[in-house]
């Protein structure tokens, strides 16, 4: 029977992931735009085509990108790294989008919002992506690891255990990082007094 | 704030979070004695932490809040969520108010792929009825179309915690474990591999009964070689903790029942020893996952008896045998594992011995189900159709006697209807009703002949051809049809059954095989339009495989090569519908290569050039779906050039007109993706013109009407986007009206419904602005 899936050569993305896990830092720079483009495309398409539904699940999009881009036979480590990169890309997409919307509103061009390009339908009411993005940058300056944990958990939709796997940390460490990062971000975003 | 300062704050915060009340105050007193600012910082964070309990806990884009009511169930609270669905505790508001677990696809996750996984799990669960498997109770969809299902709600503890909490003896563990085995064995007998057996998925109730949960990534065993038609492994959707994963799972290899045997081995190890099998030298924070994966692949775990005193060496051997790295050297089934434990419990010698395994691979060979099983699956997809068709045996006895005398005359007539008259008008515009009449009449004759003729192969072939033609007129998706998709399903089912029987009865007959490949391709397209993508892929793959063999048997036969190209087209189209655009593109590319080679040998042949155009058009459509509008445009322009030329040669050919309309439509979409909105409008207007003219000439062609509505909808949206709101809305409304009618008339067909959804949401967004 026709089953060629078993011997297709690994995709570009898979190769880059493998290179990276072997210690080639340059592969990350090549990887990021590929993943970003694919996610952007999927996000856009899921708005545009999927059954007329105009919602977007970032985690679903990340998963779908994984299925599309990465040879499913890659090692655990490469899988984890893919999700790490994808979460970062998803953050950029959502924040860029939110910024775009904001700009449109401020510029008085709201009536020209294109029918099929609005990603914003699923923004949780209570999280301001732009403010969160800024706060995350500030947190990153204090502790890069914590900012990445938030990225993976919130934008990548990973669980504590999955985040631990992706960052090569123990789940207990991730839990601690997550807990104080959340407290700090919440305080930043809610403008609570120090 | 500096990073150093933040680190200090975190240290105190982490420690303080773990304490409460006076304990916390005392700790802060001492930790911040010399640093009041540190204290206020930490206290502010602690307060924030309490307020932030649910902050960011739902990943971006996840729905907030409970859903209230799903079907007739009241949602109580969320009890968990996975990659695709959320599980709620719910009650049915009748007098019993029984608690159930309700699993629902998350909003926005309802992509084709996820829905497939979800339906897969629902189907698997519904088929399993076992006291130790959480029972399937009900299934349905919400008002807005999200599928859900309801399971028995299990209250209990994960099996590892249960064993510790109840201080179970080794023998007690073994008895409980055997129950788990019986559930897994039962699933295997129903061709289901669980693939994610771990303590968290096995709850033990207060009565000590295990319940297997979460068949979310379970898999139906597939016949050998039928390809990955069922969902891509959902394992890939998540990062699993590798500790229970078998070596073949970690390597991403084929997963069979042996993988469950392995996971059960790990589980048994843990139940007996209270420890996971792989002990890692350094438990530093880094590289744990790597180390585990590496250990699973290379290390032999320590024997359980060395981990905990009092464990019999029989059990060492049993665990080792279940956990062998090579699937073929494990127990051949879960039942054998369980039986061996039984032998141990009864004091009999066990089968598992160190280094005395003579379990040959042969013992492990899966029952081989080749092409026959694949064909059964396809036939099953059509079963409804076959059963619903009754032979119209209304030929009275006297008539039959007369018919017998005129047998050959009638047969000749039927064939004339079918092959001469029908084919003469087939591609003429407006011919749909005539074709149907001709085909129907011929079918009546042939049916009556079939009553008398028994199993004569020649007559069966004619009958199969007749059914196929009827089906094409009823609902062949890529040509003018009557919009009767269900009717087409029945007729294709009849034709397929006849063709399968012919191939079985006449092995090696290339004409029969060719015809089977042909009908499989058409069945693939039909299943596609019914939304049955796995069935569609299966049929297309079989069609390609048959044709590849045929081409191999006689290299250089142009007809056989053209057949292969057509099958590749069906496969590409099925792949595209399943969202596998890269694979679809590749298949179209192969198709195009074949047609290009054929055209080179016979440049005058319209059929080969037509094939070339179709393949290029398919590539264009896939490239567009892959968001490569530039490359898409190139392919589409190539198709367009060929089509334009063909249209000059054959101005009234239905397929060519359709192809041209499609061409403009797709080029328009690419232009739009490239931001060239004006050019896009020009193309869509041309598509509209062609499709309007077509529909006016053949108003009976349901597919033509749907295509017209598609263009109206697309152009309408484009116009609105470009500021021509009034004109756009007019088109959108026209599309809406016509699609409402079409989806009601042919409810089985997913295309008009999908288009209607798109059109309505566009209108909704306009009215909301």
């Amino acid at each position: 029977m026709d089953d060629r899936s078993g011997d297709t050569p690994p995709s570009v993305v898979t190769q880059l992931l493998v290179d990276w896990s072997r210690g080639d830092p340059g592969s990350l720079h090549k990887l990021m735009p590929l993943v970003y483009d694919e996610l952007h495309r999927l996000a856009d398409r899921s708005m545009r085509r999927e059954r007329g539904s105009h919602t977007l699940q970032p985690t679903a999009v990340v998963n779908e990108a994984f299925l599309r881009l990465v040879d499913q036979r890659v090692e655990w480590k490469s899988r984890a790294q893919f999700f790490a990169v994808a979460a970062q890309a998803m953050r950029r997409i959502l924040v860029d989008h939110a910024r775009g919307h904001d700009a449109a509103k401020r510029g008085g061009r709201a009536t020209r919002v294109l029918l099929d390009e609005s990603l914003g339908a699923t923004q949780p009411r209570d999280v301001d992506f732009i403010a969160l993005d800024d706060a995350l940058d500030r947190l990153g300056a204090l502790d890069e690891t914590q900012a990445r944990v938030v990225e993976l958990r919130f934008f990548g939709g990973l669980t504590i255990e999955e985040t631990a796997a992706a960052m090569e940390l123990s789940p207990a460490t991730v839990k601690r990082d997550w807990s104080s990062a959340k407290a700090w971000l919440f305080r930043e975003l809610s403008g609570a007094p120090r | 704030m500096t990073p150093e300062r933040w680190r200090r704050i975190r240290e105190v915060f982490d420690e303080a979070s773990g304490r409460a009340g006076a304990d916390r105050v005392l700790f802060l007193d001492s930790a911040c004695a010399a640093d009041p600012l540190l204290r206020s910082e930490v206290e502010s964070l602690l307060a924030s932490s309490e307020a932030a309990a649910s902050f960011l806990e739902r990943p971006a884009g996840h729905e907030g809040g409970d859903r209230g009511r799903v079907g007739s169930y009241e949602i109580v609270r969320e009890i968990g969520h996975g990659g695709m669905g959320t599980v709620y505790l719910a009650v049915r508001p009748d007098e019993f108010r029984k608690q159930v677990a309700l699993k629902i696809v998350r909003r926005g996750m309802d992509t084709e792929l996820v829905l497939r996984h979800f339906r897969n799990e629902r189907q698997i669960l519904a088929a399993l009825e076992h006291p130790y498997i959480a029972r399937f109770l009900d299934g349905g969809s919400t008002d807005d179309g999200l599928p859900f299902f309801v399971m028995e709600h299990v209250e209990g503890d994960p099996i590892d915690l249960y064993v510790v909490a109840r201080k179970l003896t080794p023998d007690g563990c073994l008895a409980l474990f055997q129950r788990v085995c019986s559930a897994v064995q039962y699933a295997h007998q129903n061709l289901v591999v669980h693939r994610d057996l771990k303590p968290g998925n096995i709850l033990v109730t207060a009565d000590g009964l295990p319940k297997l949960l979460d068949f979310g990534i379970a898999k139906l065993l597939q016949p050998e070689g039928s390809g990955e038609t069922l969902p891509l492994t959902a394992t890939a959707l998540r990062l699993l903790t590798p500790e229970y994963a078998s070596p073949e799972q970690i390597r991403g290899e084929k997963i069979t029942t042996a993988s469950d045997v392995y996971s059960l081995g790990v589980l048994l190890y843990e139940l007996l020893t209270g420890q996971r099998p792989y002990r890692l030298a350094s438990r530093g924070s880094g590289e744990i996952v790597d180390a585990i994966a590496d250990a699973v692949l290379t290390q032999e775990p320590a024997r359980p008896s060395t981990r905990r005193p009092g464990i019999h060496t029989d059990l060492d051997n049993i665990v080792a045998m279940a956990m062998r790295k090579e699937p073929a050297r494990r127990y051949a089934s879960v039942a054998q594992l369980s039986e061996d434990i039984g032998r141990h419990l009864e004091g009999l010698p066990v089968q598992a011995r160190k280094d005395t395994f003579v379990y040959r691979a042969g013992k492990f060979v899966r029952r081989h189900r080749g092409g026959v099983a694949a064909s059964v699956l396809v036939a099953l997809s059509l079963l409804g159709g076959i059963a619903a068709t009754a032979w119209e045996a209304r030929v009275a006895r006297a008539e039959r006697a007369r018919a017998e005398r005129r047998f050959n005359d009638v047969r000749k007539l039927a064939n004339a209807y079918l092959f001469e008259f029908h084919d003469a008008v087939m591609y003429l515009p407006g011919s749909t009703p005539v074709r149907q009449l001709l085909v129907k009449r011929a079918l009546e004759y042939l049916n009556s002949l079939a009553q008398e003729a028994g199993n004569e192969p020649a007559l069966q072939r004619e009958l199969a051809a007749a059914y196929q033609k009827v089906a094409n007129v009823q609902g062949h998706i890529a040509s003018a049809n009557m919009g009767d998709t269900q009717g087409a399903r029945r007729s294709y089912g009849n034709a397929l059954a006849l063709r399968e029987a012919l191939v079985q009865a006449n092995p090696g007959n290339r004409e029969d095989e060719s015809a089977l490949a042909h009908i499989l391709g058409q069945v693939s397209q039909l299943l596609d339009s019914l939304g049955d993508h796995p069935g569609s892929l299966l049929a297309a793959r079989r069609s390609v495989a048959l044709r590849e063999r045929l081409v191999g048997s006689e290299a250089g036969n142009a007809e056989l090569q053209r057949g292969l190209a057509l099958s590749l087209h069906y496969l590409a189209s099925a792949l595209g519908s399943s969202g596998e655009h890269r694979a679809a593109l590749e298949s179209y590319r192969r198709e195009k290569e074949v047609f290009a080679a054929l055209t080179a040998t016979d440049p005058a042949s319209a059929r080969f050039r037509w094939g070339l155009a179709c393949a290029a058009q398919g590539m264009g459509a896939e490239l567009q779906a892959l968001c490569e509008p530039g490359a898409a445009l190139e392919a589409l322009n190539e198709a367009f050039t060929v089509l334009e030329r063909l249209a000059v040669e054959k101005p009234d050919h239905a397929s060519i007109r359709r192809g041209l309309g499609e061409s403009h439509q797709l080029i328009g979409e690419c232009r739009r993706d490239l931001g060239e909105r004006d050019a896009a409008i020009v193309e869509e207007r041309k598509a509209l013109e062609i499709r309007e003219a077509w529909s006016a000439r053949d108003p009976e062609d349901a597919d033509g009407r749907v295509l017209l509505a598609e263009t109206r909808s697309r152009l309408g949206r484009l116009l609105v986007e470009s500021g021509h709101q009034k004109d756009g809305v007019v088109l959108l409304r026209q599309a809406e009206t016509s699609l409402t009618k079409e989806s009601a008339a042919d409810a089985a067909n997913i295309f008009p419904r999908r288009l209607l959804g798109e059109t309505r949401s566009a209108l909704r967004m306009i009215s909301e602005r």
Side-chain angles (χ1 to χ4, degrees):
Chain A
M1 201 75 207
D2 180 26
D3 184 6
R4 282 176 307 265
S5 63
D7 46 48
T8 41
S11 68
V12 181
V13 168
T14 309
Q15 189 54 50
L16 288 171
L17 283 168
V18 170
D19 291 349
W20 188 19
S21 73
R22 287 181 188 150
D24 170 10
S27 52
L28 177 61
H29 297 296
K30 292 180 207 141
L31 189 59
M32 192 66 195
L34 290 177
V35 175
Y36 180 88
D37 286 351
E38 176 72 6
L39 287 175
H40 204 284
R41 195 182 67 69
L42 286 174
D44 203 37
R45 225 169 55 86
S46 85
M47 300 293 304
R48 204 142 63 82
R49 299 212 160 180
E50 293 294 340
R51 317 157 66 79
S53 118
H54 286 260
T55 53
L56 165 71
Q57 283 277 9
T59 40
V61 169
V62 168
N63 280 327
E64 193 165 349
F66 177 66
L67 289 178
R68 277 168 196 283
L69 290 179
V70 184
D71 184 333
Q72 302 300 302
R73 292 167 301 184
V74 294
E75 307 164 356
W76 292 102
K77 198 171 166 183
S78 297
R79 294 181 185 216
Q81 279 163 338
F82 175 84
F83 281 92
V85 172
Q88 217 176 333
M90 206 64 226
R91 171 181 168 193
R92 269 171 54 191
I93 289 170
L94 288 173
V95 171
D96 286 349
H97 181 75
R99 283 193 209 285
H101 259 267
D102 240 31
K105 261 184 260 162
R106 286 193 204 108
R109 288 188 35 180
T111 51
R112 291 265 294 139
V113 172
L114 299 182
L115 282 179
D116 291 331
E117 292 170 17
S118 61
L119 279 166
T122 61
Q123 280 182 29
R125 290 170 298 279
D126 49 348
V127 180
D128 176 349
F129 282 157
I130 299 172
L132 177 65
D133 185 53
D134 293 342
L136 257 183
D137 282 345
R138 291 197 297 278
L139 179 61
L142 295 176
D143 189 329
E144 178 61 31
T145 307
Q146 280 188 295
R148 298 243 350 255
V149 165
V150 174
E151 216 165 61
L152 287 169
R153 296 273 287 128
F154 185 68
F155 291 105
L158 301 194
T159 63
I160 295 274
E161 287 72 26
E162 290 162 349
T163 308
M167 298 192 61
E168 303 187 345
L169 296 171
S170 75
T173 306
V174 170
K175 230 177 188 156
R176 272 199 307 276
D177 284 348
W178 172 242
S179 165
S180 53
K182 256 178 34 158
W184 190 86
L185 288 167
F186 187 78
R187 196 180 66 184
E188 291 290 306
L189 292 183
S190 60
R194 313 231 161 161
Chain B
M1 197 187 294
T2 65
E4 290 70 29
R5 178 71 176 165
W6 172 237
R7 197 171 308 136
R8 178 71 194 132
I9 294 169
R10 277 192 60 193
E11 279 167 17
V12 180
F13 170 86
D14 287 347
E15 185 62 40
S17 311
R19 299 165 187 253
D23 187 22
R24 181 185 280 184
V25 176
L26 281 174
F27 167 75
L28 288 175
D29 282 348
S30 75
C32 309
D35 193 344
L37 279 178
L38 176 65
R39 178 169 191 148
S40 75
E41 186 76 39
V42 170
E43 279 180 337
S44 142
L45 276 180
L46 286 168
S48 168
S49 174
E50 270 150 39
S54 65
F55 175 63
L56 299 184
E57 286 292 346
R58 281 168 191 277
H62 281 229
E63 276 230 312
D66 285 334
R67 304 182 57 84
R69 183 178 283 268
V70 171
S72 53
Y73 296 87
E74 264 172 31
I75 299 297
V76 179
R77 63 182 154 83
E78 183 178 325
I79 49 185
H81 66 258
M84 55 183 176
T86 306
V87 184
Y88 295 97
L89 180 66
V91 292
R92 190 170 192 137
D94 53 17
E95 69 262 44
F96 304 111
R97 292 197 68 79
K98 193 177 149 140
Q99 291 203 328
V100 294
L102 188 150
K103 186 165 185 173
I104 188 163
V105 167
R106 282 209 304 257
R107 171 153 316 286
M109 287 288 284
D110 50 340
T111 62
E112 222 31 78
L113 181 76
V114 166
L115 287 176
R116 232 190 308 159
H117 281 306
F118 194 85
R119 281 194 291 263
N120 184 41
E121 184 184 6
R122 183 156 94 175
Q123 188 193 341
I124 283 175
L125 259 189
L128 296 179
E129 212 170 300
H130 190 276
Y132 306 143
I133 296 177
R135 211 146 36 91
F136 176 89
L137 298 173
D138 191 8
S141 357
T142 60
D143 296 340
D144 43 358
L146 290 181
F148 70 84
F149 62 80
V150 178
M151 293 166 288
E152 170 185 13
H153 173 60
V154 180
E155 277 196 65
D157 293 323
I159 190 165
D160 53 342
L161 296 183
Y162 178 88
V163 162
V164 172
R166 301 282 173 120
K167 299 197 175 68
L168 251 53
T169 62
D171 281 5
C173 287
L174 291 174
L176 178 60
F177 180 78
Q178 278 188 303
R179 288 183 161 160
V180 175
C181 285
S182 77
V184 178
Q185 171 68 12
Y186 170 84
H188 288 179
Q189 283 164 347
N190 286 278
L191 299 183
V192 172
V193 193
H194 188 285
R195 302 204 290 186
D196 197 13
L197 291 168
K198 58 185 179 190
N201 284 338
I202 305 165
L203 297 188
V204 184
T205 64
D207 313 333
L209 301 177
K211 292 273 186 187
L212 226 58
L213 305 176
D214 199 354
F215 283 74
I217 68 165
K219 182 185 167 208
L220 272 173
L221 285 174
Q222 284 284 292
E224 291 295 329
S226 66
E228 71 297 46
T229 52
L230 264 185
L232 283 156
T233 72
T235 320
L237 283 172
R238 290 191 268 166
L239 294 162
L240 295 169
T241 34
E243 277 154 297
Y244 297 89
S246 58
E248 63 268 24
Q249 259 167 312
I250 287 192
R251 283 194 295 258
E253 289 168 4
K254 189 174 166 63
I255 290 167
T256 65
T257 52
S259 313
D260 281 353
V261 171
Y262 178 92
S263 303
L264 284 172
V266 179
L267 177 70
L268 181 58
Y269 192 107
E270 193 174 346
L271 295 183
L272 290 172
T273 65
Q275 296 169 37
R276 302 256 170 100
Y278 298 107
R279 205 172 238 179
L280 303 164
S282 90
R283 272 267 182 188
S285 60
E287 313 214 321
I288 286 178
V289 172
D290 256 3
I292 294 171
D294 189 56
V296 171
L297 293 178
T298 58
Q299 277 183 33
E300 289 299 333
R303 299 167 74 78
S305 58
T306 64
R307 291 278 184 95
R308 188 164 149 186
I311 290 181
H312 196 280
T313 51
D314 271 358
L315 294 175
D316 284 349
N317 292 337
I318 288 174
V319 167
M321 176 130 173
M323 286 179 64
R324 295 239 179 272
K325 308 289 184 207
E326 311 88 340
R329 290 185 60 222
R330 292 174 206 147
Y331 286 103
S333 70
V334 175
Q336 287 194 8
L337 166 61
S338 181
E339 280 160 20
D340 227 12
I341 291 171
R343 274 189 285 274
H344 165 75
L345 287 172
E346 287 168 36
L348 299 171
V350 300
Q351 305 241 307
R353 284 278 161 68
K354 218 179 170 205
D355 297 330
T356 58
F357 307 111
V358 283
Y359 289 90
R360 285 188 300 275
K363 215 173 179 184
F364 192 70
V365 167
R366 306 282 106 213
R367 266 173 299 163
H368 187 79
R369 300 174 223 85
V372 176
S375 81
V376 168
L377 279 178
V378 172
L380 276 179
S381 315
L382 293 158
L383 196 63
I386 295 169
T389 301
W391 294 98
E392 288 184 3
R394 277 183 275 123
V395 185
R397 206 181 163 76
E399 267 179 283
R400 191 184 297 165
R402 218 166 60 217
E404 261 166 46
R405 280 201 312 276
R406 299 194 301 128
F407 188 93
N408 284 317
D409 291 346
V410 175
R411 188 166 167 182
K412 232 183 263 170
L413 183 63
N415 283 318
Y417 270 126
L418 259 183
F419 297 97
E420 290 167 32
F421 302 158
H422 173 271
D423 288 2
V425 300
M426 179 162 177
Y427 295 109
L428 289 179
S431 67
T432 307
V434 183
R435 284 169 63 205
Q436 203 199 23
L437 187 68
L438 287 172
V439 163
K440 203 174 146 227
R441 194 55 51 78
L443 195 59
E444 280 166 13
Y445 283 128
L446 286 170
N447 270 347
S448 67
L449 293 178
Q451 299 293 309
E452 304 156 43
N455 289 331
E456 194 200 323
L459 188 61
Q460 284 186 334
R461 287 188 187 110
E462 284 164 25
L463 259 178
Y467 276 122
Q468 198 163 346
K469 277 182 197 272
V470 173
N472 287 349
V473 178
Q474 283 170 321
H476 182 223
I477 206 61
S479 63
N481 67 57
M482 303 293 294
D484 177 8
T485 308
Q486 283 299 2
R489 185 192 178 112
R490 280 195 292 277
S491 302
Y492 278 130
N494 287 332
L496 180 63
L498 285 164
R499 291 291 184 199
E500 295 273 16
L502 280 163
V503 166
Q504 297 232 319
N506 309 288
N509 183 321
R510 290 211 303 231
E511 254 168 63
D512 284 335
E513 288 188 356
S514 233
L516 177 58
H518 184 199
I519 183 91
L520 279 167
Q522 293 188 311
V523 163
S524 163
Q525 296 217 317
L526 176 87
L527 292 176
D528 190 37
S529 67
L530 289 163
D532 179 358
H533 301 308
S536 169
L537 267 173
L538 195 56
R541 282 192 202 284
R542 265 199 86 206
S543 178
V544 169
L546 275 167
R547 250 123 181 205
E548 273 173 342
R549 215 172 60 217
L550 285 166
V551 166
S553 74
E554 189 186 334
N557 180 327
E559 267 321 295
L560 293 180
Q561 281 171 7
R562 176 172 172 270
L564 174 59
L566 292 176
S567 292
L568 287 168
H569 190 90
Y570 298 133
L571 177 60
S573 143
L575 286 164
S577 297
S578 310
E580 298 175 35
H581 299 295
R582 286 272 163 224
L585 181 62
E586 181 51 33
S587 193
Y588 279 129
R589 197 167 271 153
R590 281 183 68 200
E591 179 197 1
K592 192 171 159 234
E593 269 172 27
V594 177
F595 275 123
L598 288 171
T599 305
T601 61
D602 184 2
S605 163
R607 287 198 309 166
F608 296 159
R609 279 181 291 144
W610 165 246
L612 195 60
C614 289
Q617 193 124 304
M619 285 175 65
E622 292 305 328
L623 285 163
Q624 199 241 342
L626 288 162
C627 283
E628 297 173 26
L633 203 54
E634 205 172 296
L636 291 172
N637 280 331
E638 184 182 351
F640 182 73
T641 312
V642 178
L643 285 172
E644 231 183 357
R645 175 78 195 279
L646 284 169
V648 174
E649 294 168 23
K650 296 176 186 288
D652 262 342
H653 196 288
S655 300
I656 295 170
R657 300 301 296 169
R658 287 171 59 95
L660 271 178
E662 184 81 4
S663 208
H664 286 300
Q665 161 110 40
L666 285 167
I667 290 174
E669 286 176 29
C670 278
R671 294 277 179 213
R672 179 185 175 284
D673 290 350
L674 287 165
E676 303 164 18
R677 201 165 289 133
D678 291 340
I681 291 177
V682 171
E683 294 293 339
E684 298 288 351
R685 281 201 193 285
K686 284 184 191 158
L688 184 68
E689 195 183 313
I690 291 174
R691 288 178 170 179
E692 266 175 346
W694 188 260
S695 235
R697 286 171 82 172
D698 194 354
E700 302 289 318
D701 173 10
D703 198 49
R705 294 194 299 264
V706 173
L707 289 173
L708 174 58
E710 180 190 28
T711 302
R712 281 182 174 149
S713 177
R714 294 266 146 83
L715 180 58
R717 276 178 281 172
L718 259 177
L719 289 172
V720 173
E721 285 171 15
S722 322
H724 307 291
Q725 174 142 339
K726 227 174 104 195
D727 295 349
V729 169
V730 170
L731 284 171
L732 282 165
R733 291 237 180 278
Q734 284 177 341
E736 189 193 18
T737 309
S738 132
L739 288 168
T740 308
K741 217 179 330 170
E742 298 305 329
S743 34
D746 190 8
N749 192 344
I750 58 171
F751 295 124
R753 265 187 290 144
R754 186 176 291 169
L755 282 170
L756 181 59
E758 281 175 24
T759 309
R760 285 198 171 141
S761 72
L763 283 165
R764 215 169 27 241
M765 290 185 78
I766 295 165
S767 67
E768 280 167 9
R769 289 222 307 253

